């Protein structure tokens, strides 16, 4: 049998050492040496293989394993690919174990073998959750943290789907470091990847996230797996958002929305209905038609503008990129006549959703302008479009999809960059510049005074 040795490798420059050092002798970086296992079977003579042409490969499009949770299937790109490795990251208590246990339950009910390897919770705790969720009786469970045992069990049992909750609890005894350390997590993920491919087990790894939201452990984990799903949302609110940040078998940035209930996580098939409604006449609220992957979604954006004595007024955004927010505030001041130099600006996106695409700029600008002028956005108006630094509006990607969603949600008028073609009987108000869009989107002050 090949002799296995332990080596310490620098994650920055790759220098190896026989013992741990605080400072890498190669690149002088501190704390970058991690423990790794090396099999010394290099002496076995390698046999040359004949490469084959791609046309000779018989790859029958593998049938995807449906998880029984349509929102999860959508994010995965139509279900789990057999023998793939998926990493699910999320903050503590966001509902990772709940979601995956429901998925395993549905997979087991469809006649496939589903195994849950739990290192964090006892069998009794998982069984309590299973009773609460219901329908997970035929899921097999293994409470184990020893990596060798887990891999051997997977090879022997060959379930169709296996969930490891969590990868940070697995422990390879040949490594001296503690479970959850970089070396251990890397080793566990690497070994599980091999087992997943060899034994054809679709494996889902649960990963903890660090304080700044990245999956804990080395970035190499994200390179290793086929798919990285991020489970987001405020622990204190009932809505959770699942998105793919990497997917080798489907589109990234797909979005699944869930609601946490006593019976587990329930998919929200129509999030626009939930997040995209404003109260007519409310000052500082606008509806944006943002795109999440291939999915258009209506989101309410709220803004508050309040006078401040601070030398550097605050621009605080929840769910929007702070740099984009600062840019929109600057363009509003410079090109649209909305002076915000002596005001704090707060922006919030409904439902804990994060918008990352520039198509939501116009709605953010509209909400801020509404709050600054004390005039509400016209009733039944949704907006999308990118705001340029010159104050001109730029077309947003996939306008047709957004317009279809607006038509579905019974929006009367859509405010969009000039040149956007109408669809489905919608009234599209095209605007060349941000200034034009604001005067078209906000109620006329005179009309408001007359009402008052
Ligand atoms: N009876 C219940 N009714 C409603 N919600 C519940 C109930 N029990 C648990 N929850 C919700 O489930 C969440 C915990 O879910 P879960 O254990 O799946 O999270 P997790 O992401 O796996 O956490 P961890 O990282 O600690 O393992 C709680 O934060 C709570 O919101
Ligand atoms: Mg858990």
């Amino acid at each position: 049998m090949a002799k296995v040795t332990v080596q310490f490798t620098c994650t920055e420059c790759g220098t190896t050492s026989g013992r741990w050092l605080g400072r890498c002798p190669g690149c002088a970086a501190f704390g970058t040496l991690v423990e790794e296992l090396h099999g010394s079977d290099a002496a076995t003579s390698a046999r040359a293989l004949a490469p084959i042409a791609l046309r000779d490969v018989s790859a029958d499009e593998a049938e995807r394993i449906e998880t029984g949770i349509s929102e999860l299937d959508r994010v995965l790109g139509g279900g789990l690919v057999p023998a793939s490795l998926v990493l699910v990251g999320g903050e503590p208590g966001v509902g990772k174990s709940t979601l995956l246990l429901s998925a395993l339950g549905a997979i087991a009910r469809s006649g496939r073998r589903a195994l849950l390897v739990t290192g964090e919770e006892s069998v009794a705790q998982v069984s309590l959750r299973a009773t609460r969720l219901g329908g997970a009786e035929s899921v097999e469970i293994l409470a184990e943290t020893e990596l060798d045992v887990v891999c051997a069990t997977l090879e022997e049992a060959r379930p169709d789907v296996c969930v490891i909750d969590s990868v940070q609890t697995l422990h390879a005894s040949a490594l001296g470091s503690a479970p959850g350390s970089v070396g251990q997590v890397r080793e566990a993920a690497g070994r599980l990847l091999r087992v997943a491919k060899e034994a054809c087990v679709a494996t889902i790894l649960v990963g903890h996230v660090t304080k700044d939201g990245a999956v804990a452990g080395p970035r190499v984990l994200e390179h290793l797996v086929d798919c990285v799903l991020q489970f987001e949302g405020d622990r204190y609110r009932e809505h959770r958002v699942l998105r793919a940040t990497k997917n080798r078998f489907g589109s990234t940035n797909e979005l699944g929305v869930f609601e946490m209930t006593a019976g587990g996580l329930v998919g929200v098939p129509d999030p626009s209905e939930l997040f995209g409604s404003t109260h007519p006449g409310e000052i500082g609220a606008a509806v944006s038609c943002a795109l999440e992957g291939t999915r258009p979604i209506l989101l309410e954006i709220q803004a508050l503008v309040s006078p401040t004595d601070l030398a550097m007024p605050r621009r605080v955004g929840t769910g929007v990129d702070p740099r984009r927010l600062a840019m929109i505030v600057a363009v509003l001041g410079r090109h649209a006549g909305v002076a915000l130099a002596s005001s704090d600006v707060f922006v919030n996106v409904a439902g804990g959703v994060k918008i990352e695409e520039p198509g939501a700029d116009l709605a953010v600008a509209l909400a801020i302008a509404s709050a600054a002028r004390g005039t509400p956005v016209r009733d039944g108006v949704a907006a999308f479009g990118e705001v340029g630094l010159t104050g001109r509006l730029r077309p947003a990607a996939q306008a047709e999809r957004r317009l279809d969603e607006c038509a579905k949600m019974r929006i009367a008028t859509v405010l969009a960059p000039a040149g956007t073609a109408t669809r489905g009987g919608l009234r599209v108000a095209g605007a060349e510049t941000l200034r034009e869009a604001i005067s078209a989107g906000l109620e006329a002050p005179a009309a408001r005074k007359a009402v008052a």
Side-chain angles (χ1 to χ4, degrees), residues 90-99 120-121 129 132 165 208 235 240 260-263:
E91 292 195 356
V94 75
K96 303 176 292 291
S97 310
T98 309
L99 176 72
E120 278 181 358
E121 293 167 45
R129 179 179 295 123
R132 179 162 65 86
D165 191 3
H208 293 174
R235 206 165 1 143
R240 312 287 149 95
M260 179 62 95
T261 66

Side-chain angles (χ1 to χ4, degrees), residues 35-274:
E35 202 177 17
E36 273 181 350
L37 286 184
H38 283 261
S40 57
D41 50 355
T44 57
S45 59
R47 199 162 44 83
L49 293 175
I52 52 167
L54 274 176
R55 66 174 167 277
D56 301 331
V57 179
S58 66
D60 27 312
E61 172 70 28
E63 196 189 324
R64 294 198 179 223
I65 303 168
E66 291 195 356
T67 60
I69 299 176
S70 58
E71 297 289 299
L72 177 60
D73 283 342
R74 180 216 313 278
V75 177
L76 285 167
L80 270 172
V81 173
S84 64
L85 193 62
V86 177
L87 177 66
V88 178
E91 292 195 356
V94 75
K96 303 176 292 291
S97 310
T98 309
L99 176 72
L100 294 174
L101 186 59
S102 315
L104 283 182
I107 291 166
R109 284 199 302 279
S110 74
R112 290 191 160 94
R113 276 190 79 182
L115 173 68
L116 172 66
V117 177
T118 167
E120 278 181 358
E121 293 167 45
S122 69
V123 175
Q125 282 171 323
V126 176
S127 132
L128 272 179
R129 179 179 295 123
T131 317
R132 179 162 65 86
L133 301 181
E137 295 78 16
S138 15
V139 175
E140 293 163 63
I141 178 163
L142 175 74
E144 184 56 61
T145 55
E146 188 62 58
L147 181 61
D148 297 319
V149 178
V150 171
C151 289
T153 312
L154 285 182
E155 274 165 354
E156 177 79 27
R158 292 182 175 248
D160 295 292
V161 181
C162 167
V163 170
I164 312 276
D165 191 3
S166 64
V167 67
Q168 272 91 359
T169 54
L170 289 186
H171 176 251
S173 51
L175 294 180
S177 48
S181 64
V182 176
Q184 290 279 7
V185 171
R186 243 155 71 132
E187 176 68 17
R191 289 269 291 281
L192 286 167
L193 176 74
R194 279 200 295 281
V195 174
K197 305 286 169 200
E198 277 162 20
C200 195
V201 183
T203 310
I204 305 178
L205 306 178
V206 174
H208 293 174
V209 296
T210 55
K211 258 194 236 139
D212 32 324
V215 177
R219 291 259 15 182
V220 76
L221 206 59
E222 294 186 14
H223 291 296
L224 217 76
V225 299
D226 296 309
C227 184
V228 180
L229 305 185
Q230 202 72 41
F231 207 20
E232 295 167 357
D234 207 325
R235 206 165 1 143
Y236 306 105
R237 281 192 243 156
E238 64 272 36
H239 293 114
R240 312 287 149 95
V241 176
L242 183 73
R243 63 170 86 228
T245 53
K246 163 182 172 176
N247 195 347
R248 285 186 180 146
F249 312 112
S251 145
T252 52
N253 282 329
E254 280 292 356
L255 186 88
V257 182
F258 295 91
E259 191 172 355
M260 179 62 95
T261 66
L265 284 158
V266 183
V268 179
D270 221 341
S272 292
E273 191 119 34
L274 199 70

Side-chain angles (χ1 to χ4, degrees), residues 404-448:
D404 286 345
E405 181 74 6
C406 291
K408 204 173 90 195
M409 299 316 295
R410 298 175 294 280
I411 292 286
T413 308
V414 179
L415 204 55
T420 308
T422 79
R423 263 171 92 87
L426 266 177
R427 201 175 91 76
V428 175
E432 286 276 346
T433 61
L434 182 58
R435 188 185 284 267
E436 260 179 61
I438 288 173
S439 52
L442 298 189
E443 272 182 21
R448 284 199 74 235

